[in-house]
Amino acid sequence: MLKKIGILFIISIVIIACNSTDEGETGIIDNFNRGAMLTHIADNIINPSYESFKNQMVALKLAGDTFATTPNQTNLETLRTFYVNAYIDWQNIEMFNIGKAEELNYSFFMNIYPLSSVDLESNISSGTYNLDNDNYHDEQGFPALDYLLYGVANSDTEILSKYTTDTNATNYKKYLLDVLNQMNSLTEQVVTGWSSFRSEFIASTSNTATSSLNKFLNDYIEYYERKLRANKFGIPAGVFSSTTLPEKVEAFYKKDISKELALESLNAFISLFQGKYKGNVTATGLSFEQYLEALDRKDLATAITSQLFAAKAEIQTLNNNFNQQIIDDNSKMTRAYDELQKAVVLLKVDMASALDIQIVFIDADGD
Amino acid sequence: MKNYIKKYLNQQTNVAPLAVFRIFFGLLMFASIVRFWANGWIEELYLAPKFHFSYYGFEWVKPIGDFTYVLFIVCGIATLFVAVGYKYRLAIITFFLSFTYIELMDKTTYLNHYYFISVLSFLMIFLPANVYFSIDSYVKKRSYQNVPKWTIDSIKLLLGIVYFYAGLAKLNSDWLFRAQPLKIWLPSKYDLPLIGNNFMQQEWFHFAMSWGGMLYDLTIPFLLLYKRTRIFAFVLVVFFHIFTRVLFPIGMFPYIMIVATLIFFDANFHQKIISFLQKFLSHLSFRLKWRNLNVSSSDFEARKIVLRTSNYNFSKSKKQLIFPIIVIFFTIQLLFPWRYLAYPGELFWTEQGYRFSWRVMLMEKAGYTTFKIVDGKTGKSFMVDNKDFLTSFQEKQMSFQPDFILEYAHYLGDHFTSQGHKNVEVYAESYVALNGRMSTKFINPKINLYQERESFKHKNWILPFSSEIKIKGI
């Protein structure tokens, strides 16, 4: 009998060993092909989004170079146009916190707001700063450009003078170029890194805390909850504080694009959910929406899309300038927030639960 | 009847199963403690969080800073003492107290099998597990062949309760007729080799696993009790627990259960394990002797003499103490899981009387709960970012369990009051999804939770379970 039990133990251990060594291996033949979904997302959504933004970033940097060489009204206007275009396009890639972007903390260097304008000014006047340092996250990226192109003085003439006649003009120009170079070089690294990371990304479909699929889904949901819902709406609308904080809106100095940025961000989020690129079907492929449907949760997939569109409709009624909206009538802003919030529940509770995403590695017995 | 009981209590049986149980229990617990430490969970679960969720009445049990490591060391040493049977009673009491203290520090980490370890080690305090093949018996130079039969039976009974009650808990419509939550969990194991992409995705397989699991839990204690079905039952035990180990992150539990069910085997089997261990040890001591020449062989042989006595009996005074404790212990074990009947509402929804009842693997439940701090006078309010106070694991557990929500609401109330906020009121915005149903509102958002007190009474601020798909059953 001891022998039999011994054999049983050996078999069991073999089963366990097989299980742990084969982890991460794929070869899906069940009714939903996660590898195909990730491939579609990688090739038809992430890749074109990255390429598009990279081009925007290059154009922005060139316009910055031109402006720094010849700071005049025309070049300022051009630079501003490229800034707005790039900032809008950025909304399509901020949620991809994967590979090189995750490793470099890309989005922290690109879009942490509100900007610390006091620190930024002291960087310029002293000329000593290190944009690679984590302490300088809120003194660079798009919010810094926003300030340097719109907020550094009250009128265009005065803004231009900062780069021409001001005693610190050289430092202003240098800071502007440093910010642009930093953004451009990080973007290049991320986009280059992506092409080598792609194959790893689409292959990692297992259900473990470290698989691409799970991390991507987690980041995706977290992006919605934090960067979109909280940062763009909740925080400035005073949801998390006892008073409203209208100065914490995105693109505070440009002012009239905060709604456009938010809508672009939400569109990008919805597009990814539906397997589209910037709202368009560019190639057929599987999406999170179809993933839920494959799991017999069409009810949930429908609930999520209709809630996201409800939020979008609510946002469309707002002033182009969120700062102004909050000051004039914050209740409209909080109503938009509430609609966005309802989708958080569907994403974080219902969708995460339906997909049974492994998030933390801790023993559980299902209660 | 009285005679029968008296006769039963005096019945003796071979001690070997109890001794083997003690050894394996000690070693597995040691492995559990080491594993817990090695995974960094002491830091992550007990030292990193700012705030800990306490069991009602045990709010005083908290992690003790860096001394928490000392607590784990003490617990770990106790397991080894239990395994070798050295100062057994002191060791098992130390283990019971330290392990239970650890479990009481934060209920976020509650697992049924941790509770099982606590109750089992409590029971073991009263069992003579060290009278044979132990250092205690070696030191006392006295070893027993037999112990009262009830001592071994009590472990079987406890195991039987665990399985049978786990089976009873599966007699509900979600488990049996909707194959929930397995219908959610199994397809998500698509990356398992061999079975991940076919069986795991099939609905019939989810139902087969649900019904199989229920039948397994209800029948396994009986199959293990009868000699004819025992081997078959043990094969099932091994298969079932290995399978669950492969599927779910349940840590050491499967191994603990596999080893624990060995207690059902007869003494011959355990005697073989012991003679195997004896051979191994004598081989070891021979080599030790050979190396340390200064230990004279005669000295060694002299110490080895252990008087073998046949029957171990509890003294009369011990009996007077132990019997009532054992009876009360099992009465509580049998009745406690039914306490949920005293509460209105759906058990899976309110979780009133859910814990400590061997309800395992029954729910895929997730929630999203945020809190609004309101100034009761001015009506001004703001939302709390849970990440400021809770770890992601704590937030996850808090979000769907009412007692967590209440405790956290009080913590927030106290925190913001101490920060100088006036007339603090705390409201929860909470949504919960259960076993594949759409999420619905969980907590009455109009109730100021800061005013509500924890108690054993029904929590009337939990909104009733409103899904059209009701849960019927035990």
Side-chain angles (χ1 to χ4, degrees), chain B residues 51-65 68 71 96-107 407:
Chain B
F51 166 67
H52 294 281
F53 289 97
S54 300
Y55 290 96
Y56 184 46
F58 292 93
E59 292 79 7
W60 50 277
V61 182
K62 292 278 175 209
I64 39 178
T68 313
L71 188 61
F96 165 71
L97 291 176
S98 56
F99 188 89
T100 307
Y101 188 95
I102 289 167
E103 291 322 313
L104 291 174
M105 290 194 301
D106 193 331
K107 69 183 169 190
E407 193 180 350

Side-chain angles (χ1 to χ4, degrees), chain B residues 385-400:
Chain B
D385 185 350
N386 291 330
K387 293 223 164 25
D388 292 345
F389 302 97
L390 303 179
T391 65
S392 59
F393 182 49
Q394 286 180 316
E395 188 183 4
K396 176 175 175 265
Q397 296 291 319
M398 177 279 291
S399 291
F400 61 86

Side-chain angles (χ1 to χ4, degrees), chain B residues 87-292:
Chain B
K87 301 213 180 286
Y88 171 76
R89 188 120 312 141
L90 180 65
I92 191 74
I93 290 173
T94 308
F95 175 78
F96 165 71
L97 291 176
S98 56
F99 188 89
T100 307
Y101 188 95
I102 289 167
E103 291 322 313
L104 291 174
M105 290 194 301
D106 193 331
K107 69 183 169 190
T108 314
T109 59
Y110 171 80
L111 288 183
N112 283 296
H113 80 255
Y114 291 149
Y115 172 57
F116 173 66
I117 298 301
S118 274
V119 290
L120 177 60
S121 58
F122 176 79
L123 177 63
M124 285 173 71
I125 292 171
F126 307 99
L127 306 183
N130 62 330
V131 298
Y132 175 66
F133 198 55
S134 69
I135 295 186
D136 281 346
S137 73
Y138 185 78
V139 169
K140 285 186 192 150
K141 299 191 194 306
R142 185 176 286 267
S143 160
Y144 294 89
Q145 193 69 44
N146 298 312
V147 287
K149 186 165 179 296
W150 69 262
T151 58
I152 293 178
D153 287 349
S154 67
I155 295 177
K156 293 181 188 172
L157 177 60
L158 185 61
L159 278 165
I161 292 173
V162 173
Y163 275 120
F164 194 72
Y165 274 61
L168 287 179
K170 291 184 172 69
L171 296 176
N172 68 74
S173 54
D174 263 20
W175 182 268
L176 296 176
F177 304 120
R178 297 179 66 233
Q180 287 285 12
L182 293 184
K183 202 181 166 187
I184 297 172
W185 290 342
L186 297 185
S188 78
K189 311 298 169 198
Y190 53 82
D191 50 342
L192 280 182
L194 300 176
I195 49 173
N197 296 320
N198 34 64
F199 285 126
M200 290 295 156
Q201 310 298 328
Q202 304 298 319
E203 194 163 56
W204 67 263
F205 188 72
H206 309 150
F207 277 99
M209 289 296 288
S210 292
W211 283 79
M214 177 271 291
L215 290 171
Y216 167 85
D217 280 341
L218 286 177
T219 56
I220 204 74
F222 305 104
L223 295 177
L224 282 165
L225 272 176
Y226 297 108
K227 201 174 158 65
R228 285 189 163 186
T229 51
R230 194 168 295 147
I231 301 253
F232 168 70
F234 189 68
V235 171
L236 279 182
V237 167
V238 172
F239 176 77
F240 179 84
H241 285 294
I242 294 296
F243 197 62
T244 54
R245 173 70 191 84
V246 169
L247 288 177
F248 306 114
I250 41 181
M252 296 293 290
F253 180 62
Y255 309 111
I256 293 165
M257 289 312 266
I258 289 171
V259 168
T261 45
L262 289 176
I263 192 94
F264 284 93
F265 284 93
D266 55 31
N268 286 338
F269 170 76
H270 290 92
Q271 207 61 62
K272 276 182 198 157
I273 295 179
I274 285 176
S275 38
F276 173 78
L277 290 174
Q278 264 167 341
K279 252 185 240 161
F280 177 72
L281 287 179
S282 63
H283 181 68
L284 209 72
S285 68
F286 175 75
R287 286 180 40 177
L288 208 74
K289 205 162 59 176
W290 193 72
R291 268 198 226 141
N292 303 331

Side-chain angles (χ1 to χ4, degrees), chain A residues 1 16 27 30 34 205-207 213 225-226 239 241 297 341 345 349-350 353 356 363-367, chain B residues 35 112 184-185 188 190-192 197 201 231 249-250 255 361 363-364 366 368 382-383 385 387 431 436 439:
Chain A
M1 185 154 71
I16 297 170
D30 69 315
R34 292 163 195 83
T205 56
S206 61
N207 190 3
L213 177 61
E225 189 190 8
R226 308 233 137 213
V239 173
S241 49
R297 290 306 303 271
Q341 171 73 12
V345 176
V349 178
D350 296 84
S353 169
D356 193 25
D363 287 350
D365 62 4
D367 45 15
Chain B
R35 175 176 173 271
N112 283 296
I184 297 172
W185 290 342
S188 78
Y190 53 82
D191 50 342
L192 280 182
N197 296 320
Q201 310 298 328
I231 301 253
I250 41 181
Y255 309 111
M361 296 268 154
M363 301 195 298
E364 165 58 36
Y368 183 79
F382 61 91
M383 300 296 294
D385 185 350
K387 293 223 164 25
Y431 292 84
S439 58

Side-chain angles (χ1 to χ4, degrees), chain A residues 48-62:
Chain A
S49 304
Y50 269 161
E51 287 300 325
S52 165
F53 180 71
K54 190 180 84 176
N55 294 335
Q56 294 280 2
M57 196 59 233
V58 170
L60 173 60
K61 190 190 161 302
L62 281 176

Side-chain angles (χ1 to χ4, degrees), chain A residues 239-259:
Chain A
V239 173
F240 303 99
S241 49
S242 26
T243 53
T244 59
L245 303 164
E247 71 282 4
K248 292 200 173 184
V249 298
E250 197 173 22
F252 171 66
Y253 299 99
K254 170 72 173 108
K255 296 202 186 295
D256 60 356
I257 58 165
S258 39
K259 177 165 114 179

